[in-house]
Amino acid sequence: MRPQFTIGVFGIIFDERGRILLAHRTDYDLWNLPGGGLEIGETPWEGVIREIKEETGFNAEVVKLQGIYSKPDKNEIVFSFICKIIDGQITPNDEADKIEYFEIEKIPKNTSPKQVLRIKDAIENPDQVVLKVHTGKSSIELIKEGKL
């Protein structure tokens, strides 16, 4: 039997002031980077562009691959891309009821911890692709336990 993996794609988008774009989910009180699951037939870079449009209303382009994160305990691989906005406007929707830029020091406490690490990786390692293993509970599991 072939292993089954989930592939996630997320955009790391900084504005001209160095603030990070986050979307607030409608299903949980959780902020995260715009992104989600890769669809069949998509490349990771096409998937992140689609996800950014769906979740924020912005048209974006990929600047570079920022990191690849393996979650072996969940059979998941996540690609993080540095992206930039081409055009469009913030558009709340059924996936994200708020879309805002935050100063790095003021990222909301209810932001996905693993995604905060990816943002820090992008800031601390601007000239290299980060390869990391992420283990532990998901943000949804932490929320359900009252720990996030």
Side-chain angles (χ1 to χ4, degrees):
M1 175 189 271
R2 289 183 4 188
Q4 297 294 311
F5 287 89
T6 301
I7 300 173
V9 291
F10 290 87
I12 297 175
I13 303 168
F14 296 104
D15 70 2
E16 64 283 346
R17 293 172 38 196
R19 299 176 303 170
I20 187 71
L21 183 67
L22 297 175
H24 184 267
R25 295 173 59 140
T26 57
D27 56 351
Y28 291 97
D29 183 19
L30 183 68
W31 289 91
N32 56 243
L33 296 165
L38 190 66
E39 294 184 357
I40 293 173
E42 281 184 317
T43 64
W45 47 95
E46 291 169 336
V48 74
I49 297 303
R50 175 188 50 76
E51 285 286 347
I52 291 168
K53 177 68 174 174
E54 288 176 4
E55 291 188 10
T56 69
F58 288 126
N59 291 307
E61 68 181 14
V62 170
V63 175
K64 69 177 190 120
L65 176 64
Q66 179 276 317
I68 303 172
Y69 298 84
S70 176
K71 298 179 181 179
D73 53 339
K74 303 213 184 294
N75 283 344
E76 186 174 350
I77 302 287
V78 175
F79 291 90
S80 290
F81 295 95
I82 301 292
C83 299
K84 72 176 186 177
I85 301 299
I86 299 170
D87 61 23
Q89 62 184 12
I90 289 177
T91 308
N93 54 76
D94 61 348
E95 291 184 46
D97 56 0
K98 293 182 261 185
I99 300 107
E100 298 179 30
Y101 284 98
F102 292 93
E103 293 178 27
I104 300 305
E105 307 79 31
K106 296 182 180 175
I107 291 175
K109 293 199 182 305
N110 59 329
T111 301
S112 168
K114 289 176 184 163
Q115 292 191 13
V116 171
L117 291 174
R118 293 179 206 148
I119 294 165
K120 289 179 180 178
D121 284 344
I123 293 167
E124 294 170 3
N125 304 285
D127 298 324
Q128 66 184 33
V129 175
V130 175
L131 305 173
K132 281 191 176 172
V133 174
H134 277 307
T135 57
K137 295 182 179 180
S138 72
S139 298
I140 303 303
E141 290 168 324
L142 292 172
I143 285 174
K144 289 179 179 178
E145 294 175 359
K147 295 179 180 174
L148 182 63

